[in-house]
Amino acid sequence: MDLVQLDIKGISYSQTQTGAYALLLSEVTGSRQLPIVIGAFEAQSIAIALEKDIKPPRPLTHDLFKNFSDCFDIQIQKVIIHKLVDGIFYASLICKKGKKEETIDARTSDAIALALRFKAPIFTYKNILDKAGIQLKTSSSKTQSEASKSKAETEIKSAFDLKNLSLNDLKKILEEAVQNEEYEKAAQIRDEISKRS
């Protein structure tokens, strides 16, 4: 089966499941995206790995795994999202130590958090992307996207402090920031929402 390489597009708060987040993966050579629902801890771990400026004072679980692997010269070569059953994605870590290669089963959210730390590529099979992928909007919606972007920027700039905004307003602005790929702003808004939860 054909493997398709994916990049992380962003993370947004899930509108359908309380306390969950949607991780959006995008195919490198196409326009489809793969949304995966993940937990808050995994979303935080992925977000910290994406935002290079943030370094937690103590290692998170995925950082500990990376440190442990480095000590024993184990590398993650790639992550493959290999199965989709009843809306649940299954992933494998392809690991290497010397000439020995092993495949380890992992939750998809953990696999992606580790892939970021090991700078390993993420793949899925074409049939999974065909089944669960969503198509990006066409260029006619880019104008809408740009309008939303400027609206989100205006709303954020006009609020002297995120604390002055209601939870519903924060969620709307967060959704727009994620759609417009403004992940730094989204992270700030997400943090403010988390403080109130």
Side-chain angles (χ1 to χ4, degrees):
M1 285 191 263
D2 294 336
L3 282 175
V4 179
Q5 189 170 354
L6 302 169
D7 275 340
I8 296 173
K9 194 78 172 158
I11 301 172
S12 68
Y13 188 75
S14 174
Q15 300 296 317
T16 56
Q17 294 184 24
T18 305
Y21 290 79
L23 172 66
L24 204 56
L25 302 173
S26 179
E27 63 179 326
V28 171
T29 58
S31 60
R32 289 177 296 179
Q33 295 182 344
L34 191 65
I36 300 174
V37 176
I38 62 174
F41 171 76
E42 293 79 10
Q44 179 188 32
S45 183
I46 291 168
I48 285 172
L50 285 171
E51 297 169 15
K52 308 282 189 246
D53 298 337
I54 298 175
K55 185 156 175 63
R58 303 290 296 142
L60 298 175
T61 305
H62 298 110
D63 299 319
L64 175 63
F65 186 95
K66 171 74 163 81
N67 294 341
F68 179 87
S69 299
D70 288 346
C71 285
F72 292 97
D73 198 30
I74 300 166
Q75 283 298 311
I76 293 178
Q77 300 292 302
K78 62 186 164 190
V79 166
I80 300 176
I81 301 167
H82 62 85
K83 189 164 65 169
L84 173 62
V85 179
D86 297 328
I88 298 170
F89 292 92
Y90 293 78
S92 295
L93 303 171
I94 311 303
C95 303
K96 193 169 187 177
K97 178 177 170 58
K99 293 183 179 180
K100 187 176 179 183
E101 190 173 278
E102 292 287 339
T103 301
I104 300 172
D105 183 41
R107 293 187 311 166
T108 302
S109 54
D110 289 330
I112 291 169
L114 289 170
L116 283 167
R117 286 162 172 81
F118 282 87
K119 296 177 177 46
I122 303 164
F123 295 93
T124 192
Y125 289 106
K126 186 180 178 303
N127 65 329
I128 291 175
L129 201 53
D130 290 341
K131 188 192 294 187
I134 55 173
Q135 191 70 32
L136 279 176
K137 296 175 184 171
T138 59
S139 59
S140 64
S141 64
K142 282 184 182 172
T143 312
Q144 272 184 324
S145 174
E146 287 166 6
S148 295
K149 182 177 179 179
S150 101
K151 183 181 174 195
E153 283 175 0
T154 306
E155 287 182 30
I156 289 172
K157 284 177 185 171
S158 67
F160 297 107
D161 192 348
L162 293 175
K163 293 174 186 168
N164 296 333
L165 297 173
S166 73
L167 197 54
N168 283 339
D169 287 342
L170 285 171
K171 287 178 182 177
K172 285 177 192 171
I173 295 170
L174 174 64
E175 189 176 326
E176 287 175 0
V178 170
Q179 285 173 353
N180 296 320
E181 301 175 25
E182 297 170 308
Y183 300 121
E184 288 178 26
K185 289 179 186 175
Q188 292 172 344
I189 298 164
R190 179 202 63 223
D191 292 344
E192 179 61 30
I193 291 171
S194 297
K195 285 179 196 172
R196 298 185 192 189
S197 300

